[in-house]
């Protein structure tokens, strides 16, 4: 097993262990991830997402304007983007399967699926990291959207 494979296995084991440590924030009722989950998520984000979505979650310039090939640049995952408008299940599906697979109908995207590279716990950790950077307002809205989509 290579060093990279060992790191990935260790990261997956850590994610599985610490995801059970999530707790509910008493003021808003939102789920708040343990700092170890957020740290793992940041590491995984840096390795798998930052090259397109930016080291600071800022996305690519002019992300709302299609490129010449009709595809859109990578959107930001900070509060200036639209990630916080979507429920966890949809965000997880996009990361796992890729945008084109989720949208369907011939939609083309440069966003690949990471389902063969990242496990569900790792995807959850990445989302925990992204959410940890949002202001309270965006976290609360996204938590409500997630809750409403699962009822």
């Amino acid at each position: 097993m290579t060093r990279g494979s060992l790191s990935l296995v260790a990261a997956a084991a850590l994610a599985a262990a610490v995801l059970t440590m999530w707790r509910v924030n008493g003021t808003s009722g939102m789920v708040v991830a343990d700092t170890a989950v957020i740290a793992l998520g940041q590491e995984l984000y840096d390795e798998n997402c930052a090259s397109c979505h930016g080291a600071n979650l800022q996305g690519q310039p002019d992300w709302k304007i299609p490129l010449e090939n009709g595809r859109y640049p990578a959107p930001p995952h900070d509060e200036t983007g639209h990630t916080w408008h979507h429920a966890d299940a949809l965000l997880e599906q996009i990361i796992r399967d890729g945008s084109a697979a989720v949208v369907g109908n011939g939609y083309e995207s440069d966003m690949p699926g990471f389902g063969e590279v990242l496990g569900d716990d790792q995807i959850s950790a990445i989302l925990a990291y992204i959410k940890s950077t949002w202001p309270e307002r965006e976290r609360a809205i996204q938590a409500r959207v997630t809750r409403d989509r699962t009822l």
Side-chain angles (χ1 to χ4, degrees):
M1 202 176 255
T2 67
R3 181 178 172 177
S5 296
L6 287 174
S7 291
L8 192 57
V9 169
L14 176 62
V18 294
L19 279 173
T20 61
M21 296 178 175
W22 286 41
R23 64 193 189 287
V24 175
N25 177 324
T27 58
S28 67
M30 293 177 6
V31 174
V32 179
D34 182 271
T35 56
V37 174
I38 293 169
L40 173 62
Q42 183 174 8
E43 180 180 327
L44 292 167
Y45 176 90
D46 290 345
E47 292 171 8
N48 297 283
C49 313
S51 62
C52 293
H53 293 280
N56 296 312
L57 297 100
Q58 75 275 11
Q60 295 175 345
D62 300 320
W63 63 275
K64 293 181 183 179
I65 301 169
L67 302 169
E68 288 183 19
N69 64 7
R71 297 177 181 187
Y72 285 85
H77 290 311
D78 61 16
E79 74 275 7
T80 68
H82 60 81
T83 306
W84 56 272
H85 296 178
H86 302 296
D88 285 354
L90 178 61
L91 297 173
E92 291 164 356
Q93 185 180 13
I94 291 169
I95 295 168
R96 185 178 53 252
D97 302 330
S99 296
V102 173
V103 174
N105 296 323
Y107 180 78
E108 293 186 13
S109 172
D110 290 328
M111 171 66 189
F114 286 86
E116 294 189 19
V117 177
L118 299 169
D120 290 344
D121 291 342
Q122 293 171 309
I123 291 170
S124 293
I126 291 170
L127 288 177
Y129 162 64
I130 291 170
K131 291 179 196 183
S132 76
T133 68
W134 297 337
E136 175 68 26
R137 174 184 171 271
E138 284 74 11
R139 284 195 315 268
I141 292 169
Q142 197 274 336
R144 191 169 43 253
V145 168
T146 295
R147 183 190 68 237
D148 292 347
R149 295 289 193 287
T150 58
L151 295 178

